[in-house]
Structures are given as C-alpha cells and as structure tokens.
Amino acid sequence: MDNKKKKQDILIKIACVIFSFGLWLYVSNVENPTISKKISNIPVEVINADVLSQYKLAMLPAQDFKINLSIEGAANDVYRVKADQFKLVVDLSSYALKKGENNIPVKVEQSPNNIYIIRTETLSIKMNLDELVEKSVPIKADVTTKTKSGYYASNPVISPSNAMVSGPAQYVNNVNELIAKGEEKNVDKDIELTLPLTAVNEAGRKVSEVSINPSTVNVVIPIRKSKVIDVNVKTKGALGDKLTLKSLESTPSKVEVTGNDSELKNISSMDTEPIDLSSITGNKELVAKLRIPNGIRILNGGDSVNIKVVVETVAKEEPPKENIKKELVIPIAMKGLKNELKATLDSDKITVNVEGREEDIKNLKDNEVVAEIDLSNAVEGEQEITVKVTVKEGIKIISSKPEKIKVTISKK
C-alpha cells in the first residue's frame, strides 16, 4: 500500500513540473508580456577629448565613467540583453566645459532592437576637470654604476637637462624633478644610456598623473682611472720649550683620487695646508685643508682631513752641578827596565791636581790615578824622564808636579 502511494506522489510531482514548464512556454511565446529591467555599469566612451586643450583644461585621472540603464521590452528580448550591446558616448566637442565638476549628457549610439531605454534625456555623467598647465622640470640621473677596480664613475652628463611636464594643475604643480634611473656593473669605459623619465614630488614619490615630453633622456657617464695616495701632514713654526711632538696623525691617512692618465702618473701623495705648531699648547684635534693639484679630484670624501696632534711635556732639567778639585800624591811606577839594570829616582812620588763632578771626585780611588815612567829605552847614567799620569774617564787632570823626574840608571 505504501509503495503505491509513493508512486502516486512521484507522478503528481512530475505532472506539476510539466504543467509549470508548459505554462512558462505559453506565457513567453504566446503571451510574451512587456517587462522592464535595470542594466548596471555600462561603460561610457569619451570622444573628442583633445578639445580640452583648447579650453586649457585637463581631465582628472581615476574617473570611471559608467551608468545604469533602465530598459523595457518584450520579455523574450529583455532577458537576452547584455551590457556590451549598448554603446554610450559623451562628445566633449558639443559642450562648453569649465574647471571643476561638469555634468555632461550621454548619447546612446547603439542599443539592441526592440528594446526601449527609459528616460534617455536624463542620462549623464559627472566629469571633473582641472586647469591644464605645463612647466619645465630639471632632470636628475640616478644611475648605480659599479666599476672595475682602479676605475671611477664621474658625474653623469644629461641631455636634455630639462623636460616639459603637462597635465592637471594639481598634479603638475606637485612635480619637483624628473628621475632617470638605471644600473650598470663591472664597467671600465664611458657609458651611454637612454633612460625613461619618472616624475617625482619633493618627497621622492612618483607622480604618474602627468605627461612628460620627451619621455626619455640620454645619459653619458665618463669612466676615469683612480689611484690611492698618501696624505702628508705639513707643519710650520715650533712647539714651546716645554713640549715635544709625540705623534701627528691624519684621518684618513690615504685618499683616492682621479684625473687624466698623465696627472695620475705624476702624483704619489698629497700635502695638507701647514699646521702652526707654535699655536699648540696640548693634545689637539683639528681640520686641515688638502692642497689639491690642478686636474686632480678627490673621490668619496671632501677637500680636508682630520689631524690629531699628540704632544708630551718635557721634564725640567736640573742645572748642572759645579765641578770640584782635589790634590793627590801618588807613587811613581816604573816599567820597561831591562833586567840587568837598576834605577834610582830622586823622588818616588808625584803631586797631581784633578777636577770633576763632586760625586766622581769623592768616589775616586787611589788605584784609579796612575803615574808611571817608561824606562824601556833607558841607558846607564843620569837622565830626566817625563812622568805620564792617567785617570779614569770623567776626571780631568789639571796639573802634575814634577812633570819630569831625574832617574839614575846603573848595572845591578
């Protein structure tokens, strides 16, 4: 019983669907009533936009011209309508335009057959216009150049140096400069590039709502040889009596320079302007200008270096002490006498006066002053022989008496 009821329910549902479909076919194809519908976001084409320049006007960017249409027609036709079947146009040459917001009528140039557009006379778009201006803007090259070792990229040469920027006043007036950006690596000769221009404001942000003429620029970057040389710190004058120069250091101690080949070949160091030592009273740090020869340019730095002067105070010298004198009586020694001979001296002592520092004289020992006569050439008989006196270093002999001594030589 239950199965029979289920089958009846299914047959009833199928019959309802068939009846509904048949009714729809009847209404659509037999009755086909008139209906209305809204088509959204239909694009509007702007023509004769070049007429704006005659009014010294420019269209502000980021304006999306689309409108909604209300249409009416037979159900079969209305249901088949698509947005791309309409062509909507705004002709700027047909109206008087002004700076600010303009309400411009839209003309329907193309639409599907058997479709009626409701109230076409009210179709319009709002277009914002600004004053059209142009100005000359300087061009700056921003080219990252990596050279081979021993080479240096000089300042770029830009041609032209300015370009014209035009467009809506609020954007053109915001443009600060034009940037030609590029990059080159591992170069050792002059570079020539054609680079696109980008408008930027004072903060360096891109201003894309303007036109640039010309849109590209020619950039030439000369490549020169470079060389690392020493810095020589020059001085004048002299330090005070109580000071001595301990060190004189330059930071940097070397600089990289560039120039023509002949100029680079003839330079090995660079002097500073002289530092006046007479004005130095203690350790000091100062700045000294570099003497840059004609045709030479310093790379990666300025035209001066930092100088660190380190001095020491000289200890005060004590005045020298006065010498003292002393009289000594010392024995006379003989040397060189032959074995078969004997010598008799009329005096076997000598008086010696010496002079020296007090400390040396006080510490002088008897054996450090020697008086002797040389008898190696002596013969029998009486004779006078000079007495030779010697003393240790630092002591001065003022006098010795007698200078000669009488000696009698005889056989043993």
Side-chain angles (χ1 to χ4, degrees), residues 118-133:
I118 302 173
R119 300 183 67 182
T120 58
E121 68 278 2
T122 63
L123 299 178
S124 65
I125 61 169
K126 291 182 179 180
M127 179 181 292
N128 289 309
L129 302 177
D130 194 4
E131 182 183 357
L132 174 65
V133 297

Side-chain angles (χ1 to χ4, degrees), residues 103-169:
N103 197 36
I104 307 174
V106 174
K107 181 181 178 181
V108 180
E109 286 200 347
Q110 180 180 313
S111 63
N113 295 329
N114 302 321
I115 291 296
Y116 171 70
I117 300 175
I118 302 173
R119 300 183 67 182
T120 58
E121 68 278 2
T122 63
L123 299 178
S124 65
I125 61 169
K126 291 182 179 180
M127 179 181 292
N128 289 309
L129 302 177
D130 194 4
E131 182 183 357
L132 174 65
V133 297
E134 67 175 1
K135 69 177 181 179
S136 179
V137 179
I139 299 172
K140 177 184 176 181
D142 182 14
V143 181
T144 302
T145 306
K146 296 182 180 179
T147 60
K148 291 182 178 179
S149 178
Y151 291 87
Y152 174 77
S154 298
N155 293 330
V157 179
I158 305 171
S159 179
S161 58
N162 285 58
M164 298 302 297
V165 174
S166 61

Side-chain angles (χ1 to χ4, degrees), residues 11 99 161 187 318:
L11 290 174
K99 179 181 176 181
S161 58
V187 295
E318 294 183 1

Side-chain angles (χ1 to χ4, degrees), residues 37-53:
K37 183 181 179 182
K38 187 177 181 180
I39 309 295
S40 301
N41 296 322
I42 301 177
V44 178
E45 180 183 353
V46 178
I47 62 174
N48 293 322
D50 55 345
V51 76
L52 291 175
S53 61

Side-chain angles (χ1 to χ4, degrees), residues 68-233:
N68 301 327
L69 290 181
S70 295
I71 62 172
E72 189 177 88
N76 282 342
D77 297 328
V78 170
Y79 287 136
R80 294 188 179 96
V81 170
K82 296 180 181 179
D84 60 6
Q85 292 178 280
F86 296 89
K87 182 177 182 182
L88 307 181
V89 173
V90 164
D91 186 355
L92 298 184
S93 65
S94 303
Y95 304 97
L97 303 170
K98 67 181 188 307
K99 179 181 176 181
E101 186 177 273
N102 293 261
N103 197 36
I104 307 174
V106 174
K107 181 181 178 181
V108 180
E109 286 200 347
Q110 180 180 313
S111 63
N113 295 329
N114 302 321
I115 291 296
Y116 171 70
I117 300 175
I118 302 173
R119 300 183 67 182
T120 58
E121 68 278 2
T122 63
L123 299 178
S124 65
I125 61 169
K126 291 182 179 180
M127 179 181 292
N128 289 309
L129 302 177
D130 194 4
E131 182 183 357
L132 174 65
V133 297
E134 67 175 1
K135 69 177 181 179
S136 179
V137 179
I139 299 172
K140 177 184 176 181
D142 182 14
V143 181
T144 302
T145 306
K146 296 182 180 179
T147 60
K148 291 182 178 179
S149 178
Y151 291 87
Y152 174 77
S154 298
N155 293 330
V157 179
I158 305 171
S159 179
S161 58
N162 285 58
M164 298 302 297
V165 174
S166 61
Q170 62 182 278
Y171 295 105
V172 173
N173 294 336
N174 199 30
V175 175
N176 186 58
E177 63 184 357
L178 301 173
I179 302 296
K181 193 174 183 66
E183 182 178 6
E184 291 292 319
K185 297 180 180 179
N186 201 34
V187 295
D188 58 0
K189 59 183 178 180
D190 293 354
I191 307 168
E192 184 169 0
L193 305 170
T194 299
L195 299 174
L197 293 175
T198 301
V200 297
N201 59 19
E202 191 172 355
R205 296 177 180 173
K206 183 179 179 181
V207 181
S208 57
E209 298 84 359
V210 297
S211 298
I212 305 172
N213 185 32
S215 60
T216 61
V217 68
N218 187 58
V219 179
V220 175
I221 302 177
I223 305 299
R224 299 285 180 263
K225 287 186 177 180
S226 64
K227 185 177 184 180
V228 177
I229 60 175
D230 294 323
V231 174
N232 291 331
V233 180

